[in-house]
Amino acid sequence: GLDLLFESIFISSEIGFENPDRRIFSHVEIKMGLQPTNLLHIGDNPLRDADGAINAGWNALILDPENQNPGYYRITRLDELLSLLPNRS
């Protein structure tokens, strides 16, 4: 049900490029009409997801149930995302 909280969700396999390919991030920027600093990428792989997003100028958040990725902004459960969203508690 988290998808109801987002304006858009993009899935790399549906777009045709895999992370960390810069083209997936550019595709989303164009579709959303937003600058990279206004976008958040959520993933579970620090190298492909977080580093790819950060290198594209995006914000990145790692789903990390085992707390194995220090140095990244991370959550251990998806419901933790709710407290990070504007106007949510």
Side-chain angles (χ1 to χ4, degrees):
L2 284 176
D3 59 327
L4 301 175
L5 300 173
F6 297 94
E7 182 177 328
S8 298
I9 296 175
F10 297 90
I11 300 170
S12 60
S13 61
E14 294 176 2
I15 295 170
F17 305 112
E18 294 295 324
N19 295 333
D21 191 318
R22 176 70 177 96
R23 292 175 292 181
I24 189 170
F25 299 102
S26 295
H27 172 88
V28 174
E29 293 164 14
I30 291 167
K31 291 289 185 184
M32 296 295 299
L34 294 171
Q35 295 298 311
T37 55
N38 294 325
L39 295 162
L40 171 66
H41 179 78
I42 302 169
D44 62 359
N45 184 299
L47 299 175
R48 291 184 332 133
D49 294 320
D51 290 349
I54 292 166
N55 289 337
W58 289 37
N59 300 290
L61 184 64
I62 293 294
L63 176 61
D64 184 14
E66 306 293 324
N67 270 328
Q68 295 180 355
N69 298 293
Y72 292 95
Y73 290 109
R74 59 190 198 268
I75 55 176
T76 58
R77 296 185 342 242
L78 281 176
D79 62 358
E80 293 175 42
L81 182 59
L82 294 173
S83 66
L84 301 175
L85 297 174
N87 303 317
R88 304 276 181 207
S89 56

